[in-house]
Amino acid sequence: MPTREAAFDAAVTAMKRGHQLLAEGADETHPDYANVMPALHAAIAAGYTDAEIYAAATAPQ
C-alpha cells in the first residue's frame, strides 16, 4: 500500500496529466483519462483535499 505522501504525489501527477489532456482537447474517452480520477480519490481518501492537490498541481515550477 502506498504511503500517504505517495498517494498525494500520484494525485498531483494525475491532475497535471488531466489538465494536459484537457488542453489538448481530450475528454473522458481518452485512455489516459481513466488514470486521473482513481489517483485523486486515493489521495482524498488519504486525507488530502482537492484544493491541496489542485494547488500543488498548478503551482509554478
Side-chain angles (χ1 to χ4, degrees), residues 6 9 27 29 31 35 38-39 42 46-47 52 54 56 61:
D9 292 342
D27 61 14
T29 62
N35 298 323
E52 290 171 312
Y54 180 83
Q61 306 234 349

Side-chain angles (χ1 to χ4, degrees), residues 42-59:
I44 291 168
Y48 291 101
T49 67
D50 56 344
E52 290 171 312
I53 298 163
Y54 180 83
T58 60

Side-chain angles (χ1 to χ4, degrees), residues 8 11-16 19 51-61:
F8 180 76
V12 170
T13 299
M15 185 172 279
K16 287 179 181 179
H19 289 165
E52 290 171 312
I53 298 163
Y54 180 83
T58 60
Q61 306 234 349

Side-chain angles (χ1 to χ4, degrees), residues 20-38:
Q20 179 184 20
L21 289 170
L22 291 174
E24 294 170 0
D27 61 14
E28 67 275 357
T29 62
H30 190 283
D32 285 356
Y33 197 83
N35 298 323
V36 173
M37 293 311 290

